[in-house]
Amino acid sequence: MSQTTSTIFVQIASYRDPELIPTLRDLIGSAAFPDRLRIVVCWQHGPDEHVGIFLSQQFLQWELQPGSPFNLHTFTFGGARIELIDVPHEQSQGACWARNQIQQRYRDEAYTLQLDSHHRFVADWDTAVIGMLEQLRPRSPKPLLTAYLSFYTPPAPDTPFIKKEEPALGMRFDRFSRGGPILFRSFTLPNWRTLHEPVPARFYSGHFAFADGAFAREVQHDPDYFFHGEEISIAVRAFTHGYDLYHPHRTLAWHEYVRDGRRKIWDDHDKTARDDGRIRLTWGERNDLSMARNRVLFGMEPEAGDTELSKHDPRGSAYGFGTARSLADYEVYAGISFRDRAVQPEVLAHAPPDLGAVRPGATLDRATLRRSNDVRVVAHHTSIDVAACPRATRCTVQALRDDGTVLHEDDADIEAARQHCHGEWFDRDLAFMSDLGVKPAAFRIVLRDAHGETLKAFTSAVG
């Protein structure tokens, strides 16, 4: 597609974020063609935030379109059009719900870019990202660029603006969480200075995704997801709709990760707000429902049928898989078995995926799968009291096999161990890989002195 006729539908979900306006200003100011941007923001704002803050920052030509359930504000800035879906923060239902609200306003733009509300951008980012996508077109009719971007730190009083001068990062498998969704971490692309085009990817980032505009219609966010599970569900759903995933090989933007001292939805949507009638469900309740929906989608639960799980089953809905490829095709491509909570060794080594592996009849090699374990180790202080052992210098937490042998252990000095003591409880997570058929049967906590002598030990079955 010619860049002279291209338009970009920019999707930004924002929750009580003071970085929203700086992000919008930089997004527009750094674009080569800001007049081709149509930006829709799900503006989930607190009572201290009002539309006047946009007017004070030279956002012009304000119009109010009354609506149900939410009003819509429109502005112009630097030639771009900005639309704000006006959502009082206590009416929010989570990040994926907010993204879905935005996607209902897609109007056939040529491309779409999904972001968070805390970013900075390289000069002419719009022509650069379109160029990357079109570079892939000869081999991928439906390419999708996505990444965990390098970080920036917003300026504060007496603090300079900091950004990491490295390329956009790849995404690697971290573990299957206890609730089901896969968690990810970033890694620097090997030999990135010599790369000439984006590289194949297994996974999808919620804070940076660029594709043809139709993606905003074909693979919409499930509004019944809260937050966790978003990225792996979109990755697989995009793949089954025929999209090929890639990581950009050059920096296009930066993302803020820490966001210290700012209100998050889990700060506001708590039990007190629910009991006061200000919200219907706490964030934790929404998250539990979302996790169940995610497990059903990926076949990690027994078949739903007429059971309670049936209400959480998105399969066959607009938020299920596409028909261009199957879930099994994705598992072969990505080297992942959802039902087994396991991955192949090349996934752990961050080796690039191979689209050529997806062919009729292809299946995962189960002999090479490694199981991802995520165990919560909890003990009451009457069983293991770190503070009551003044001679202790080390704390070892072990996962045990059925026969009592050690499957995995983490060892820490006593000060690090005390960080896992919360009130009357010692609470620690163990995440590790094992052979496919091996699961932890019990855990043991051992306190030792400087000579390695055991001072106290506690063993319990895995719940």
Side-chain angles (χ1 to χ4, degrees):
M1 178 173 294
S2 170
Q3 292 201 16
T4 61
T5 60
S6 58
T7 53
I8 304 177
F9 174 63
V10 183
Q11 310 175 47
I12 299 179
S14 176
Y15 187 90
R16 305 192 71 177
D17 190 355
E19 274 292 285
L20 171 60
I21 289 179
T23 293
L24 289 171
R25 293 176 65 97
D26 198 67
L27 172 77
I28 297 165
S30 299
F33 299 100
D35 57 315
R36 298 174 191 165
L37 305 180
R38 178 168 164 262
I39 305 162
V40 179
V41 182
C42 188
W43 182 46
Q44 303 153 91
H45 60 91
D48 56 332
E49 302 167 281
H50 51 84
V51 75
I53 61 176
F54 292 89
L55 296 169
S56 70
Q57 293 292 315
Q58 289 76 55
F59 287 71
L60 306 174
Q61 295 181 316
W62 171 52
E63 294 181 7
L64 170 62
Q65 179 182 331
S68 178
F70 306 112
N71 293 333
L72 184 75
H73 306 279
T74 61
F75 298 92
T76 60
F77 181 88
R81 176 184 172 90
I82 304 99
E83 301 174 12
L84 301 180
I85 304 170
D86 188 332
V87 181
H89 74 285
E90 288 177 341
Q91 295 183 39
S92 173
Q93 297 177 37
C96 296
W97 171 87
R99 297 199 197 281
N100 183 277
Q101 293 287 313
I102 294 166
Q103 288 166 337
Q104 305 315 307
R105 298 198 59 78
Y106 171 62
R107 300 293 183 265
D108 295 320
E109 286 82 7
Y111 302 100
T112 187
L113 173 64
Q114 180 178 293
L115 301 166
D116 285 343
S117 53
H118 27 274
H119 287 276
R120 295 294 185 272
F121 302 85
V122 300
D124 299 338
W125 62 266
D126 49 343
T127 56
V129 73
I130 291 172
M132 279 190 197
L133 197 79
E134 294 304 328
Q135 183 181 13
L136 296 167
R137 192 77 67 182
R139 59 173 168 165
S140 289
K142 299 171 73 172
L144 167 62
L145 291 169
T146 188
Y148 278 173
L149 302 176
S150 295
F151 74 86
Y152 82 95
T153 302
D158 303 318
T159 301
F161 176 80
I162 300 171
K163 59 187 179 184
K164 187 175 183 180
E165 295 292 350
E166 282 192 10
L169 304 175
M171 295 173 65
R172 65 176 178 84
F173 173 88
D174 182 39
R175 67 184 187 276
F176 277 93
S177 68
R178 284 190 299 275
I182 296 178
L183 303 181
F184 310 103
R185 293 186 182 275
S186 63
F187 73 102
T188 301
L189 298 174
N191 305 314
W192 60 268
R193 289 182 177 84
T194 64
L195 295 174
H196 300 291
E197 62 181 5
V199 299
R202 289 180 172 84
F203 306 123
Y204 167 94
S205 163
H207 76 238
F208 183 86
F210 185 80
D212 292 336
F215 185 70
R217 180 183 295 122
E218 293 179 350
V219 191
Q220 294 194 348
H221 281 262
D222 186 336
D224 288 326
Y225 272 51
F226 176 74
F227 180 75
H228 291 111
E230 168 201 15
E231 293 183 320
I232 188 59
S233 68
I234 296 292
V236 182
R237 289 177 54 220
F239 188 85
T240 61
H241 277 84
Y243 287 88
D244 297 332
L245 283 67
Y246 293 90
H247 292 319
H249 63 299
R250 294 289 181 265
T251 300
L252 295 165
W254 295 268
H255 179 258
E256 184 191 8
Y257 287 91
V258 179
R259 302 179 64 220
D260 282 339
R262 304 186 195 169
R263 299 293 296 183
K264 318 293 194 305
I265 193 168
W266 36 87
D267 298 318
D268 296 325
H269 288 228
D270 58 9
K271 186 175 183 296
T272 299
R274 184 199 62 193
D275 293 347
D276 289 346
R278 290 180 281 123
I279 62 172
R280 187 172 67 86
L281 296 173
T282 68
W283 76 268
E285 290 167 336
R286 290 192 186 281
N287 198 52
D288 287 345
L289 293 171
S290 173
M291 299 275 234
R293 194 167 173 84
N294 191 77
R295 291 193 299 272
V296 172
L297 177 69
F298 289 113
M300 300 171 71
E301 294 277 9
E303 287 303 310
D306 295 325
T307 68
E308 177 68 15
L309 287 174
S310 63
K311 68 178 65 174
H312 305 303
D313 191 349
R315 294 172 296 183
S317 75
Y319 308 111
F321 300 127
T323 58
R325 298 168 179 145
S326 67
L327 171 60
D329 289 336
Y330 178 83
E331 290 185 313
V332 169
Y333 169 76
I336 293 170
S337 172
F338 287 95
R339 188 177 292 275
D340 295 311
R341 298 178 182 243
V343 301
Q344 292 182 321
E346 55 265 33
V347 179
L348 301 176
H350 323 319
D354 177 15
L355 190 58
V358 180
R359 57 189 184 276
T363 58
L364 278 173
D365 180 3
R366 292 182 56 81
T368 64
L369 286 173
R370 299 279 291 165
R371 176 181 168 80
S372 172
N373 301 274
D374 190 356
V375 180
R376 185 180 182 189
V377 178
V378 180
H380 193 260
H381 75 92
T382 54
S383 301
I384 189 84
D385 193 342
V386 175
C389 292
R391 291 172 50 208
T393 62
R394 308 293 301 178
C395 176
T396 302
V397 182
Q398 301 171 329
L400 306 178
R401 298 182 180 88
D402 285 327
D403 61 5
T405 57
V406 176
L407 176 62
H408 174 83
E409 70 176 24
D410 283 354
D411 185 69
D413 63 49
I414 203 66
E415 289 305 318
R418 287 193 177 105
Q419 296 176 12
H420 297 280
C421 297
H422 309 286
E424 297 184 342
W425 295 92
F426 177 89
D427 193 342
R428 173 76 183 274
D429 290 331
L430 284 185
F432 58 95
M433 306 301 295
S434 66
D435 291 340
L436 182 58
V438 179
K439 299 181 182 179
F443 64 81
R444 179 189 298 136
I445 307 169
V446 184
L447 299 182
R448 295 188 174 92
D449 65 14
H451 303 290
E453 178 182 349
T454 296
L455 303 176
K456 197 166 187 179
F458 171 75
T459 303
S460 177
V462 172

